[in-house]
Amino acid sequence: PVQAAATDATAAPASGARVRVRVPGGLAAMASDGILAGFQFNVSHQEIERILYEIEQWWEASHEQAGIEWLPIEGIQNFLMNDLGYEDMDEFEDAIQGTFSDFLAAFPHIETQEVGSRICFKIHMPKPGPARTLTLHVDSTKRLLETTLLKGADAELEIPSLEFSICAERERHIDSLYNHLVAARDKLESHCAQLSDGSAERDEILKTVAGLASCLDVERPFDVVIHDRAALSEFKPCEGVKIEPAALAS
């Protein structure tokens, strides 16, 4: 996790200070539809997801350690430019398709305000809710490629027809549903390479790998079930997704 520098903080603006505020217009929608629906960037692109993740970690570290709500954007902007290997700010802004403040404004859970000549930001992190399941019926490769899945840190992805699951991880993961399955297949293949030929474990894993390959080609329709313990996972688009309280799911 990124540790925000203690000096990279600003207090709430004093009375009389010149302040311009951009309240994220998607907050109301975010409360009911989640945050993916309001994203103006394709967060299934790994570079964009990483930038967003680092921004959130930077803000959360400052908020948890010092109770700070508003942070100047310069600190995280310079950290990202250097950490991601960009030569200068122009190259960084080319990658995010605009200024850093415009990039932040593209996400409904990030709020910015201008205090004098400094632009600051705060993040409205989604709140956990009751456990639930999300079920998506996949009937084409197009559906896999065009569906983005935000898999919460404590969520599990299951394909019942394969008796296969991707367990909960310590971090949120946003990617196309297709890439979620590709990553799972690749990890299994990597594990198989370390097992001896003919072992029972290796044979069973290879059967699962073959099953995932069949799912990626959508040789027959199948369901993807997300066991969403904190109600922080989302599909985009969400049309056709069946949502049930966890206690009611079969």
Side-chain angles (χ1 to χ4, degrees):
V2 176
Q3 299 297 312
T7 56
D8 185 32
T10 186
S15 177
R18 293 182 60 191
V19 177
R20 293 195 306 171
V21 179
R22 188 197 72 84
V23 178
L27 282 179
M30 187 177 80
S32 59
D33 299 331
I35 62 174
L36 276 184
F39 283 7
Q40 297 173 36
F41 276 87
N42 177 11
V43 285
S44 65
H45 188 289
Q46 291 184 353
E47 186 84 339
I48 297 298
E49 187 206 357
R50 180 180 175 187
I51 291 172
L52 179 61
Y53 174 79
E54 297 289 9
I55 291 168
E56 292 172 343
Q57 292 297 297
W58 185 277
W59 183 87
E60 281 192 291
S62 295
H63 186 64
E64 291 174 2
Q65 295 169 12
I68 296 165
E69 289 197 344
W70 292 96
L71 292 175
I73 69 172
E74 292 90 350
I76 182 62
Q77 177 179 260
N78 292 332
F79 168 81
L80 287 169
M81 183 183 70
N82 293 317
D83 187 61
L84 297 175
Y86 293 103
E87 292 186 359
D88 53 33
M89 190 57 61
D90 287 341
E91 186 180 4
F92 179 56
E93 290 182 345
D94 283 344
I96 61 174
Q97 303 169 32
T99 67
F100 189 61
S101 59
D102 287 342
F103 179 84
L104 294 177
F107 298 97
H109 63 311
I110 301 179
E111 182 179 352
T112 61
Q113 74 174 9
E114 186 176 336
V115 183
S117 60
R118 302 193 79 184
I119 299 176
C120 304
F121 76 100
K122 68 183 286 189
I123 295 179
H124 301 267
M125 297 302 293
K127 303 298 184 184
R132 62 184 186 174
T133 63
L134 292 75
T135 303
L136 175 68
H137 186 67
V138 177
D139 57 8
S140 68
T141 300
K142 183 173 183 286
R143 181 73 151 156
L144 284 177
L145 290 168
E146 295 183 356
T147 297
T148 299
L149 169 62
L150 186 161
K151 182 175 175 288
D154 60 356
E156 177 182 322
L157 184 155
E158 179 189 8
I159 302 178
S161 60
L162 288 183
E163 298 183 351
F164 169 77
S165 296
I166 301 175
C167 296
E169 301 168 288
R170 291 179 294 177
E171 298 177 359
R172 178 195 72 192
H173 185 199
I174 307 175
D175 210 334
S176 68
L177 185 52
Y178 186 92
N179 283 344
H180 276 279
L181 300 188
V182 166
R185 180 203 63 191
D186 291 349
K187 287 179 181 178
L188 290 176
E189 288 181 334
S190 178
H191 181 61
C192 271
Q194 303 173 31
L195 301 175
S196 58
D197 290 343
S199 69
E201 181 184 2
R202 187 175 189 275
D203 290 345
E204 286 301 313
I205 292 175
L206 287 176
K207 289 179 183 177
T208 301
V209 169
L212 286 171
S214 175
C215 288
L216 289 168
D217 292 336
V218 194
E219 293 179 0
R220 62 178 61 86
F222 63 96
D223 288 341
V224 173
V225 180
I226 306 299
H227 299 279
D228 193 18
R229 295 180 179 88
L232 293 175
S233 300
E234 305 171 37
F235 285 107
K236 178 185 177 181
C238 59
E239 289 78 16
V241 176
K242 182 181 179 181
I243 302 176
E244 295 180 290
L248 300 181
S250 57

